[in-house]
Every structure is written in structure tokens, then in C-alpha cells.
Amino acid sequence: MSDYTSRLARLLLELSYVEGEVTLTSGKKSDYYFDCKQTALHPEGGWLIANLFLEMLQGRDIAGVGGMTLGADPLVSAVSVLSYEKNCPLAAFIIRKKSKGHGTNQYLEGLKNFPSGSRVVLLEDVVTTGGTLLTSVERVRDAGLQVDDVLCVLDREEGGRQRLAQAGLNLGSIFTRAQLLAAGR
């Protein structure tokens, strides 16, 4: 395990991981909540996540990264900025939950940075069932881009990986819950 991974685990456990019964976006009950935005918006946390995602993206022939607002906003921004600094520039885009409703009425922001047919990877903070990601993939493909894979900070291991695989997508994660708890010790 890299120093980045162990340091990120400690930050995630300190800032983003809360034990206790909650209802998730999927409607499922859980014994913990994972609010990755708290860590992704922390200066070191965002930097660590971006570095680890860039390691996972190394060697892939992609034009950029994107994700559904709001959870992916700090992730795609940090990866895009750091990729430029590391001389492997990746553009970023954000997927709206609802179309703009005026002007171009688009779902994607940042689309002008991508020629039609560009290959991209979606980033997500936490994956539970994969439902939000499947909606995201549909919107990205409708906009003329090719989705290669999905990367997340935390895979809750509650069916999302399998659901994405059924749609032909691979899911890579920095952590599963068990890995996060073990790495944070």
C-alpha cells in the first residue's frame, strides 16, 4: 500500500466516514454513511484522490474524465488540474442531474473540450447500486462520447460493480469498505 493510500484512508475515516444507521440515495438502509465531499474538498484529500486516480488512469488512451454533479465535481476538477501539472493533460466535464433548461439545454458542462467520439472515464465518489452511474453513462454517450470505465473512491460492494459489468463497464476503486477500514489503522 502506498503512502498516498494510507494517508487518504486516514483522512477519509476522519472526515468522510460516519457509522450509524442512514438511508442512502438508493433507498437502502446502511450502518454507515460515506460523505466523500468532505475529504475531496480538503486540500490534501483532493490532492491525494487526484494522484491515486491518475495512477489508475496511467497508460489509458483517454481524452478526459467526468462525473455526475455534485459528488464528482471536486474529483474531476482535481484530476484535470493535476494531470496538466504532470504533463498528461485530461480535460474534465460535469454531468448535470437535470438539463440546463435554457440556452443549449445540455446535460454536460465542458463538452467543447472533447471532440465527438472521445474516450472518457467516469469518476464517482461512492458506488452502491450503480444506478446513478448508469444514468451518467447514458447522458455521456448521448453527447457523443465513449465511456471506457468508471473509477470511484469507495465501492460499497452492494451490487454496483455487478450492475455496471452487466452494462459492459469495469469499476475500479481506491477502496472497498473493508480495505478502507484496514488501511486507516
Side-chain angles (χ1 to χ4, degrees), residues 62-86:
I62 60 168
V65 294
M68 182 72 80
T69 199
L70 181 70
D73 292 3
L75 306 177
V76 301
S77 296
V79 167
S80 181
V81 170
L82 191 59
S83 73
Y84 182 81
E85 183 179 281
K86 290 185 175 250

mmCIF file of all heavy atoms in Angstrom, residues 62-86:
data_model
loop_
_atom_site.group_PDB
_atom_site.id
_atom_site.type_symbol
_atom_site.label_atom_id
_atom_site.label_comp_id
_atom_site.label_asym_id
_atom_site.label_seq_id
_atom_site.Cartn_x
_atom_site.Cartn_y
_atom_site.Cartn_z
ATOM 1 N N ILE A 62 -7.235 8.017 -23.121
ATOM 2 C CA ILE A 62 -8.499 8.730 -22.926
ATOM 3 C C ILE A 62 -8.273 10.229 -23.077
ATOM 4 O O ILE A 62 -7.156 10.717 -22.911
ATOM 5 C CB ILE A 62 -9.139 8.428 -21.552
ATOM 6 C CG1 ILE A 62 -8.215 8.849 -20.406
ATOM 7 C CG2 ILE A 62 -9.515 6.950 -21.446
ATOM 8 C CD1 ILE A 62 -8.864 8.846 -19.038
ATOM 9 N N ALA A 63 -9.356 10.932 -23.383
ATOM 10 C CA ALA A 63 -9.288 12.388 -23.534
ATOM 11 C C ALA A 63 -9.569 13.115 -22.234
ATOM 12 O O ALA A 63 -9.209 14.283 -22.081
ATOM 13 C CB ALA A 63 -10.283 12.844 -24.598
ATOM 14 N N GLY A 64 -10.254 12.434 -21.300
ATOM 15 C CA GLY A 64 -10.566 13.114 -20.060
ATOM 16 C C GLY A 64 -11.450 12.320 -19.137
ATOM 17 O O GLY A 64 -11.711 11.129 -19.357
ATOM 18 N N VAL A 65 -11.911 13.024 -18.100
ATOM 19 C CA VAL A 65 -12.728 12.426 -17.047
ATOM 20 C C VAL A 65 -13.944 13.299 -16.787
ATOM 21 O O VAL A 65 -13.931 14.503 -17.014
ATOM 22 C CB VAL A 65 -11.919 12.257 -15.741
ATOM 23 C CG1 VAL A 65 -10.796 11.253 -15.925
ATOM 24 C CG2 VAL A 65 -11.374 13.594 -15.242
ATOM 25 N N GLY A 66 -14.997 12.664 -16.289
ATOM 26 C CA GLY A 66 -16.201 13.410 -15.941
ATOM 27 C C GLY A 66 -16.987 12.664 -14.901
ATOM 28 O O GLY A 66 -16.652 11.538 -14.528
ATOM 29 N N GLY A 67 -18.044 13.314 -14.443
ATOM 30 C CA GLY A 67 -18.890 12.663 -13.461
ATOM 31 C C GLY A 67 -20.105 13.506 -13.130
ATOM 32 O O GLY A 67 -20.200 14.675 -13.491
ATOM 33 N N MET A 68 -21.034 12.865 -12.435
ATOM 34 C CA MET A 68 -22.302 13.490 -12.064
ATOM 35 C C MET A 68 -22.088 14.494 -10.935
ATOM 36 O O MET A 68 -21.429 14.204 -9.945
ATOM 37 C CB MET A 68 -23.290 12.401 -11.616
ATOM 38 C CG MET A 68 -24.669 12.911 -11.255
ATOM 39 S SD MET A 68 -25.670 13.456 -12.651
ATOM 40 C CE MET A 68 -26.278 11.904 -13.279
ATOM 41 N N THR A 69 -22.684 15.674 -11.130
ATOM 42 C CA THR A 69 -22.638 16.675 -10.082
ATOM 43 C C THR A 69 -23.453 16.181 -8.892
ATOM 44 O O THR A 69 -24.419 15.434 -9.079
ATOM 45 C CB THR A 69 -23.156 18.043 -10.624
ATOM 46 O OG1 THR A 69 -22.728 19.084 -9.781
ATOM 47 C CG2 THR A 69 -24.644 18.081 -10.758
ATOM 48 N N LEU A 70 -23.128 16.367 -7.784
ATOM 49 C CA LEU A 70 -22.173 17.184 -7.104
ATOM 50 C C LEU A 70 -20.987 16.372 -6.603
ATOM 51 O O LEU A 70 -19.895 16.907 -6.437
ATOM 52 C CB LEU A 70 -22.898 17.891 -5.947
ATOM 53 C CG LEU A 70 -22.117 18.838 -5.073
ATOM 54 C CD1 LEU A 70 -21.731 20.102 -5.792
ATOM 55 C CD2 LEU A 70 -22.927 19.168 -3.867
ATOM 56 N N GLY A 71 -21.207 15.092 -6.386
ATOM 57 C CA GLY A 71 -20.148 14.267 -5.809
ATOM 58 C C GLY A 71 -18.879 14.211 -6.626
ATOM 59 O O GLY A 71 -17.777 14.169 -6.076
ATOM 60 N N ALA A 72 -18.996 14.226 -7.944
ATOM 61 C CA ALA A 72 -17.809 14.101 -8.793
ATOM 62 C C ALA A 72 -17.155 15.438 -9.108
ATOM 63 O O ALA A 72 -16.032 15.462 -9.609
ATOM 64 C CB ALA A 72 -18.175 13.390 -10.099
ATOM 65 N N ASP A 73 -17.812 16.546 -8.812
ATOM 66 C CA ASP A 73 -17.253 17.856 -9.181
ATOM 67 C C ASP A 73 -15.826 18.060 -8.677
ATOM 68 O O ASP A 73 -14.930 18.380 -9.467
ATOM 69 C CB ASP A 73 -18.144 18.999 -8.688
ATOM 70 C CG ASP A 73 -19.483 19.067 -9.392
ATOM 71 O OD1 ASP A 73 -19.786 18.201 -10.231
ATOM 72 O OD2 ASP A 73 -20.257 20.002 -9.088
ATOM 73 N N PRO A 74 -15.559 17.884 -7.368
ATOM 74 C CA PRO A 74 -14.171 18.090 -6.932
ATOM 75 C C PRO A 74 -13.220 17.024 -7.457
ATOM 76 O O PRO A 74 -12.032 17.299 -7.646
ATOM 77 C CB PRO A 74 -14.258 18.058 -5.400
ATOM 78 C CG PRO A 74 -15.527 17.360 -5.076
ATOM 79 C CD PRO A 74 -16.454 17.600 -6.239
ATOM 80 N N LEU A 75 -13.722 15.839 -7.727
ATOM 81 C CA LEU A 75 -12.862 14.754 -8.218
ATOM 82 C C LEU A 75 -12.357 15.053 -9.618
ATOM 83 O O LEU A 75 -11.156 14.968 -9.892
ATOM 84 C CB LEU A 75 -13.620 13.426 -8.212
ATOM 85 C CG LEU A 75 -14.278 12.996 -6.904
ATOM 86 C CD1 LEU A 75 -15.052 11.700 -7.100
ATOM 87 C CD2 LEU A 75 -13.265 12.879 -5.791
ATOM 88 N N VAL A 76 -13.272 15.377 -10.533
ATOM 89 C CA VAL A 76 -12.862 15.611 -11.920
ATOM 90 C C VAL A 76 -12.025 16.877 -12.032
ATOM 91 O O VAL A 76 -11.082 16.928 -12.834
ATOM 92 C CB VAL A 76 -14.059 15.620 -12.907
ATOM 93 C CG1 VAL A 76 -14.809 14.301 -12.855
ATOM 94 C CG2 VAL A 76 -14.996 16.773 -12.674
ATOM 95 N N SER A 77 -12.341 17.881 -11.234
ATOM 96 C CA SER A 77 -11.552 19.117 -11.271
ATOM 97 C C SER A 77 -10.129 18.869 -10.800
ATOM 98 O O SER A 77 -9.168 19.311 -11.432
ATOM 99 C CB SER A 77 -12.215 20.198 -10.407
ATOM 100 O OG SER A 77 -13.477 20.540 -10.929
ATOM 101 N N ALA A 78 -9.989 18.159 -9.675
ATOM 102 C CA ALA A 78 -8.653 17.890 -9.140
ATOM 103 C C ALA A 78 -7.835 17.034 -10.110
ATOM 104 O O ALA A 78 -6.649 17.303 -10.344
ATOM 105 C CB ALA A 78 -8.765 17.201 -7.780
ATOM 106 N N VAL A 79 -8.444 16.003 -10.688
ATOM 107 C CA VAL A 79 -7.729 15.140 -11.630
ATOM 108 C C VAL A 79 -7.296 15.936 -12.859
ATOM 109 O O VAL A 79 -6.156 15.827 -13.320
ATOM 110 C CB VAL A 79 -8.590 13.921 -12.029
ATOM 111 C CG1 VAL A 79 -7.999 13.195 -13.231
ATOM 112 C CG2 VAL A 79 -8.729 12.964 -10.847
ATOM 113 N N SER A 80 -8.177 16.761 -13.391
ATOM 114 C CA SER A 80 -7.849 17.540 -14.584
ATOM 115 C C SER A 80 -6.688 18.503 -14.313
ATOM 116 O O SER A 80 -5.726 18.558 -15.086
ATOM 117 C CB SER A 80 -9.086 18.303 -15.065
ATOM 118 O OG SER A 80 -8.785 19.036 -16.227
ATOM 119 N N VAL A 81 -6.751 19.240 -13.228
ATOM 120 C CA VAL A 81 -5.700 20.208 -12.910
ATOM 121 C C VAL A 81 -4.366 19.497 -12.662
ATOM 122 O O VAL A 81 -3.328 19.892 -13.190
ATOM 123 C CB VAL A 81 -6.110 21.075 -11.699
ATOM 124 C CG1 VAL A 81 -4.942 21.909 -11.192
ATOM 125 C CG2 VAL A 81 -7.277 21.981 -12.078
ATOM 126 N N LEU A 82 -4.386 18.436 -11.869
ATOM 127 C CA LEU A 82 -3.146 17.725 -11.565
ATOM 128 C C LEU A 82 -2.584 17.038 -12.814
ATOM 129 O O LEU A 82 -1.370 16.963 -12.989
ATOM 130 C CB LEU A 82 -3.370 16.708 -10.441
ATOM 131 C CG LEU A 82 -2.113 16.081 -9.860
ATOM 132 C CD1 LEU A 82 -1.166 17.131 -9.274
ATOM 133 C CD2 LEU A 82 -2.479 15.053 -8.793
ATOM 134 N N SER A 83 -3.458 16.563 -13.703
ATOM 135 C CA SER A 83 -2.972 15.915 -14.928
ATOM 136 C C SER A 83 -2.179 16.902 -15.784
ATOM 137 O O SER A 83 -1.193 16.529 -16.415
ATOM 138 C CB SER A 83 -4.145 15.330 -15.730
ATOM 139 O OG SER A 83 -4.902 16.338 -16.362
ATOM 140 N N TYR A 84 -2.604 18.141 -15.796
ATOM 141 C CA TYR A 84 -1.880 19.168 -16.553
ATOM 142 C C TYR A 84 -0.496 19.380 -15.943
ATOM 143 O O TYR A 84 0.507 19.443 -16.656
ATOM 144 C CB TYR A 84 -2.672 20.476 -16.564
ATOM 145 C CG TYR A 84 -1.997 21.559 -17.367
ATOM 146 C CD1 TYR A 84 -2.113 21.595 -18.754
ATOM 147 C CD2 TYR A 84 -1.217 22.527 -16.743
ATOM 148 C CE1 TYR A 84 -1.476 22.580 -19.499
ATOM 149 C CE2 TYR A 84 -0.579 23.504 -17.475
ATOM 150 C CZ TYR A 84 -0.704 23.525 -18.856
ATOM 151 O OH TYR A 84 -0.065 24.484 -19.588
ATOM 152 N N GLU A 85 -0.455 19.477 -14.632
ATOM 153 C CA GLU A 85 0.824 19.667 -13.949
ATOM 154 C C GLU A 85 1.775 18.496 -14.199
ATOM 155 O O GLU A 85 2.979 18.672 -14.298
ATOM 156 C CB GLU A 85 0.585 19.830 -12.449
ATOM 157 C CG GLU A 85 1.856 20.102 -11.667
ATOM 158 C CD GLU A 85 1.583 20.279 -10.195
ATOM 159 O OE1 GLU A 85 1.134 21.367 -9.806
ATOM 160 O OE2 GLU A 85 1.816 19.305 -9.448
ATOM 161 N N LYS A 86 1.221 17.304 -14.321
ATOM 162 C CA LYS A 86 2.041 16.102 -14.522
ATOM 163 C C LYS A 86 2.290 15.810 -16.003
ATOM 164 O O LYS A 86 2.771 14.734 -16.355
ATOM 165 C CB LYS A 86 1.373 14.905 -13.844
ATOM 166 C CG LYS A 86 1.414 15.002 -12.327
ATOM 167 C CD LYS A 86 0.860 13.765 -11.691
ATOM 168 C CE LYS A 86 1.013 13.824 -10.205
ATOM 169 N NZ LYS A 86 1.999 12.875 -9.703
#
